[in-house]
Amino acid sequence: MDRSGVSPAVSPADSPAESSDRRLTDRDRAVLAVERRSWSGPGAKERAIRERLGLSPTRYYQLLNALLDDPRALAHDPVTVNRLRRVREARRSRR
């Protein structure tokens, strides 16, 4: 609100989901893109992680786990993030 008590107009680019999406790094978006794909054969995903992202699989999964708790990632790709959250929760409950 400004001094007159009137809220300024909010453009679509200023919406919370849009502005939070813009703050994801290119690497964060690339990690989510790798998770969105389906992988055939053993080792294909790990090879892609190393070649495309330049990360070890261990570091990749550390970054991915942090992204699952990041509201910006949820705003960017809700289907993938929610699916991975369900998988993570199922694994935790089996322990």
Side-chain angles (χ1 to χ4, degrees), residues 85-95:
R85 284 179 175 179
R86 285 190 303 273
V87 169
R88 181 175 68 177
E89 187 56 38
R91 286 184 180 147
R92 285 180 178 169
S93 65
R94 282 186 287 209
R95 293 182 191 173

Side-chain angles (χ1 to χ4, degrees), residues 11-58:
S11 72
D14 293 333
S15 70
E18 190 69 27
S19 64
S20 64
D21 179 48
R22 281 185 276 149
R23 285 186 244 135
L24 278 179
T25 65
D26 291 339
R27 183 181 66 182
D28 292 342
R29 286 190 297 276
V31 166
L32 291 171
V34 167
E35 276 309 307
R36 210 172 11 251
R37 283 196 55 191
S38 60
W39 299 95
S40 62
K45 182 176 180 181
E46 286 72 19
R47 248 188 333 274
I49 290 168
R50 287 184 189 282
E51 292 171 5
R52 294 180 187 173
L53 302 176
L55 298 169
S56 71
T58 301

